[in-house]
Amino acid sequence: MTPLVTTDAIVVESFVGPKDERSLADDVLDGLTRPFKELPPKHFYDARGGELFDRICELPEYYPTRAERAILEARAADVVAATGAAELVELGSGTAAKSRLLLHAMRAAGTLRRYVPVDVTEALVLATAAELVDELPGLRVHGIVGDFERHLGHVPEAEPGAPRIVAFLGGTIGNFPPGSRRRFLRGLARMLRPTIDHLLLGTDLVKDPALLEAAYDDAQGVTAEFNRNVLRVVNRELAADFDVESFEHVAFFDPEREWIEMRLRACRRMDVRVDALALEVAFAPREELRTEISAKFTPARLEDDLAAAGLRLTEVMTDRDGHFALSLSTPGR
Ligand code: AVJ
């Protein structure tokens, strides 16, 4: 693998092609031919989807981003003191808006050595790397352009004696159904050395269903547009002809499974053609396509899920409303 950039302070390696639509094709073929249609949420995030998600984070109803930021603002120094972290690996780093708080706390504590952002968007990894080495003299950045579900094997080895935090923020762990969630957490645990390294995990918490549902069905309809955007992605990337506006946004809390589900409901009977896959997909009137689950946690279930992956909770931090949790855990029992 030839790095995209190498300077004294920055190395960025890419593991995705310029058009990495293979996984989209597989997911569409697989998901749209099931008895209950489904598409995985990772395909929301093209350029427009990314912008819509940024707008969601600013919505009055969408509390998770603000709650998690408030926790980090209050507790970043404690996290660094508790872990002695010299290195931060971040999965889905984006613009590093929240991890910046940690990097600055690491610098203040005198422990900061390296940041390893992992994100599918090359431009974000490059821009963030350049900004951060400027902002934090002495910092080295080793960026990985890749999918955190497929490319974790390319994360560089931890440096001997340098405590590492692997951060997975925003509550994105909630997108995994329970079985894959456990498998994914086990994969993260394998990146951590017992006693020296920690997982820093953001999880949204179970709360009043009305608050949860408002967060995923906002008054301005931004989440509805974000949801429908996945159909625009399929239209563009796979030459499909979804009539995007004929799908209605649905979001509800499933109290049994303790997750939010987002779906797209066909307003009428439709036959959709996906040219790139030579596929015809029929939708019955009011038929629903599941586009996302977003699991909400109780502290007990968080502890169980981590334990099942071989991780022991060492700290749970919440915002003042108790809406969101950031936890530290380490391999062991
Ligand atoms: C980025 C997965 C954490 O589940 O809350 C926001 C995505 N979906 N509104 C979430 C999302 C609808 C978000 N995550």
Side-chain angles (χ1 to χ4, degrees), residues 270-292:
M270 272 182 270
D271 287 304
V272 178
R273 174 93 211 139
V274 187
D275 265 341
L277 302 176
L279 179 71
E280 249 337 310
V281 184
F283 283 83
R286 302 188 64 75
E287 183 175 345
E288 293 176 355
L289 157 68
R290 186 195 289 124
T291 52
E292 181 168 53

Side-chain angles (χ1 to χ4, degrees), residues 71-88 98-113 132 135-136 165 200:
I71 300 169
L72 277 170
E73 275 166 358
R75 306 294 301 274
D78 297 335
V79 169
V80 173
T83 59
E87 168 167 292
L88 178 63
K98 288 180 282 201
S99 42
R100 231 184 202 90
L101 295 166
L102 282 167
L103 293 169
H104 278 274
M106 288 158 74
R107 168 147 177 93
T111 57
L112 179 65
R113 288 209 219 160
L132 287 171
E135 194 172 314
L136 296 156
I165 290 178
L200 180 68

Side-chain angles (χ1 to χ4, degrees), residues 44-45 53 56 62 64 170-172 175 215-216 223 226 262 292-294 296:
F44 285 133
Y45 302 92
F53 180 68
I56 288 174
Y62 193 76
T172 302
N175 278 170
Y216 292 84
T223 308
F226 173 75
M262 295 210 313
E292 181 168 53
I293 63 164
S294 186
K296 307 305 164 190

Side-chain angles (χ1 to χ4, degrees), residues 23-41 43-44 227-244 247 262-266 270-284 287-292:
S23 87
L24 177 67
D26 290 347
D27 291 345
V28 168
L29 180 60
D30 193 41
L32 295 189
T33 57
R34 290 182 192 178
F36 190 134
K37 297 183 176 66
E38 178 163 29
L39 287 176
H43 304 301
F44 285 133
N227 194 5
R228 281 190 284 262
N229 190 59
V230 73
L231 301 182
R232 296 185 205 277
V233 170
V234 176
N235 279 353
R236 187 188 61 235
E237 299 296 328
L238 300 174
D241 64 355
F242 275 101
D243 179 6
V244 175
F247 285 82
M262 295 210 313
R263 299 179 178 182
L264 289 165
R265 182 189 292 142
M270 272 182 270
D271 287 304
V272 178
R273 174 93 211 139
V274 187
D275 265 341
L277 302 176
L279 179 71
E280 249 337 310
V281 184
F283 283 83
E287 183 175 345
E288 293 176 355
L289 157 68
R290 186 195 289 124
T291 52
E292 181 168 53

Side-chain angles (χ1 to χ4, degrees), residues 49-245:
E51 281 165 27
L52 286 166
F53 180 68
D54 290 345
R55 282 178 61 199
I56 288 174
C57 294
E58 307 278 314
L59 292 169
E61 296 96 332
Y62 193 76
Y63 58 83
T65 310
R66 281 186 298 276
E68 190 180 47
R69 168 184 291 281
I71 300 169
L72 277 170
E73 275 166 358
R75 306 294 301 274
D78 297 335
V79 169
V80 173
T83 59
E87 168 167 292
L88 178 63
V89 178
E90 184 177 22
L91 312 181
S93 45
T95 60
K98 288 180 282 201
S99 42
R100 231 184 202 90
L101 295 166
L102 282 167
L103 293 169
H104 278 274
M106 288 158 74
R107 168 147 177 93
T111 57
L112 179 65
R113 288 209 219 160
R114 183 164 71 158
Y115 178 49
V116 182
V118 180
D119 201 280
V120 271
T121 308
E122 180 181 303
L124 277 182
V125 175
L126 291 171
T128 308
E131 260 173 53
L132 287 171
V133 297
D134 223 45
E135 194 172 314
L136 296 156
L139 174 70
R140 284 175 296 116
V141 177
H142 187 140
I144 302 291
V145 180
D147 178 345
F148 55 64
E149 285 189 74
R150 290 185 292 151
H151 301 124
L152 284 190
H154 298 296
V155 168
E157 287 282 305
E159 293 168 346
R164 159 187 275 190
I165 290 178
V166 174
F168 192 34
L169 303 179
T172 302
I173 188 68
N175 278 170
F176 291 90
S180 340
R181 184 195 306 155
R182 193 183 287 194
R183 190 162 4 99
F184 185 71
L185 287 173
R186 260 194 236 114
L188 298 189
R190 260 184 264 115
M191 300 170 67
L192 303 171
R193 298 160 296 180
T195 73
I196 166 162
D197 296 335
H198 289 82
L199 172 66
L200 180 68
L201 184 67
T203 44
D204 197 9
L205 298 174
V206 170
K207 62 184 62 66
D208 178 358
L211 284 176
L212 282 168
E213 289 179 353
Y216 292 84
D217 192 7
D218 62 280
Q220 293 173 54
V222 181
T223 308
E225 267 318 300
F226 173 75
N227 194 5
R228 281 190 284 262
N229 190 59
V230 73
L231 301 182
R232 296 185 205 277
V233 170
V234 176
N235 279 353
R236 187 188 61 235
E237 299 296 328
L238 300 174
D241 64 355
F242 275 101
D243 179 6
V244 175
E245 300 307 321

